[in-house]
Amino acid sequence: MLKVIIFDFDGTLADTIDVLLSITNRLSVEFGFKSATKEELAQLSNLTAWQILKYSGISIFKFLLLIIKLKAELRSEIPNIQLFPGIKEVLLELKNSGFQLGIITSNSRENVLASLDKNGLQDTFDFIYSGTTFGKHKVINRWLKKENINPEQVVYVGDEIRDIDAAKKTRIKVIAVGWGFHSQSALAAHNPDFLIEKPQELIEVIHNLNEL
């Protein structure tokens, strides 16, 4: 039986894409990489994280420093960030159905908590962990070991290729969502267990998983 549903934050629960693009472009001169238009962002949505890194021309060291500053600047934008339509209702329904809900994200825990508090979801999640951009699978593995949970009892919900990769590395099922950063075609090419287009579809998929 499925017991735990883990969510990514940016692009899955919260619509932060435009804000992140604005901040990233503002920092492009300081960190020496190419800025991007919304049209170019749409093209980048078909690339993996490593391919995007190569395209931008930024070194991995500068990229890690950029992520730290990006998280810090995002904190002041939290009041302007909205959850995707329908997400709050889905989360509350899943919680009321008895599932444990968690968040594992590369965003900061402080940013996530501030957003949840703003949206009246501060008591909805059982745990929140922040990891590195390319290290979500390590965070998931540590959590599985700490809680002594069978991977078959867990599903991860995310909007990026790296979310699919992290779930596969940890042997948990993954539901890819088509309303975030990566395009549906790019997500489908990496074979998630499920690919959904609307938040409400999550309820049906979760219940179907419990019937397997």
Side-chain angles (χ1 to χ4, degrees):
M1 289 286 288
L2 184 66
K3 292 184 177 180
V4 187
I5 308 167
I6 304 175
F7 292 87
D8 172 49
F9 181 72
D10 298 284
T12 300
L13 300 181
D15 188 2
T16 56
I17 295 173
D18 286 346
V19 172
L20 288 170
L21 177 63
S22 176
I23 297 173
T24 301
N25 281 342
R26 192 163 68 242
L27 296 173
S28 63
V29 175
E30 178 183 346
F31 284 87
F33 62 90
K34 302 173 186 175
S35 60
T37 63
K38 288 197 74 171
E39 290 72 24
E40 288 170 328
L41 188 66
Q43 295 176 347
L44 293 175
S45 69
N46 291 305
L47 304 179
T48 66
W50 286 109
Q51 288 171 329
I52 294 170
L53 192 62
K54 184 176 180 181
Y55 170 87
S56 71
I58 188 173
S59 69
I60 185 66
F61 176 71
K62 279 191 174 181
F63 175 74
L64 296 175
L65 293 177
L66 169 67
I67 293 299
I68 293 172
K69 192 154 189 178
L70 191 63
K71 291 178 185 178
E73 295 211 8
L74 185 61
R75 180 66 179 85
S76 63
E77 297 289 344
I78 290 297
N80 304 318
I81 292 172
Q82 303 296 320
L83 299 181
F84 285 102
I87 281 291
K88 180 175 181 178
E89 292 77 9
V90 167
L91 291 172
L92 293 175
E93 184 171 342
L94 290 172
K95 184 69 175 178
N96 290 334
S97 296
F99 293 103
Q100 268 189 276
L101 304 185
I103 293 174
I104 292 180
T105 175
S106 52
N107 204 328
S108 72
R109 193 170 187 275
E110 291 74 21
N111 287 348
V112 173
L113 286 170
S115 179
L116 295 178
D117 186 60
K118 175 204 165 192
N119 287 283
L121 293 171
Q122 59 270 32
D123 298 322
T124 305
F125 290 89
D126 299 277
F127 60 89
I128 299 169
Y129 292 110
S130 176
T132 63
T133 302
F134 300 110
K136 280 189 178 181
H137 66 285
K138 296 178 182 178
V139 180
I140 295 172
N141 271 330
R142 283 197 298 268
W143 174 79
L144 287 169
K145 185 175 182 180
K146 176 186 174 185
E147 300 296 330
N148 194 28
I149 290 181
N150 188 327
E152 293 182 0
Q153 297 175 315
V154 185
V155 65
Y156 191 87
V157 184
D159 69 305
E160 294 187 51
I161 292 168
R162 61 194 176 98
D163 294 324
I164 298 174
D165 292 341
K168 288 184 175 182
K169 287 178 180 177
T170 54
R171 298 178 293 111
I172 64 176
K173 286 185 171 59
V174 59
I175 301 171
V177 304
W179 56 79
F181 176 70
H182 274 125
S183 67
Q184 290 190 41
S185 59
L187 293 168
H190 285 75
N191 302 309
D193 295 288
F194 301 91
L195 176 56
I196 61 175
E197 298 180 9
K198 299 176 181 179
Q200 192 60 34
E201 292 177 52
L202 191 57
I203 302 293
E204 181 180 354
V205 170
I206 293 297
H207 287 305
N208 286 342
L209 274 172
N210 256 353
E211 293 174 0
L212 294 178

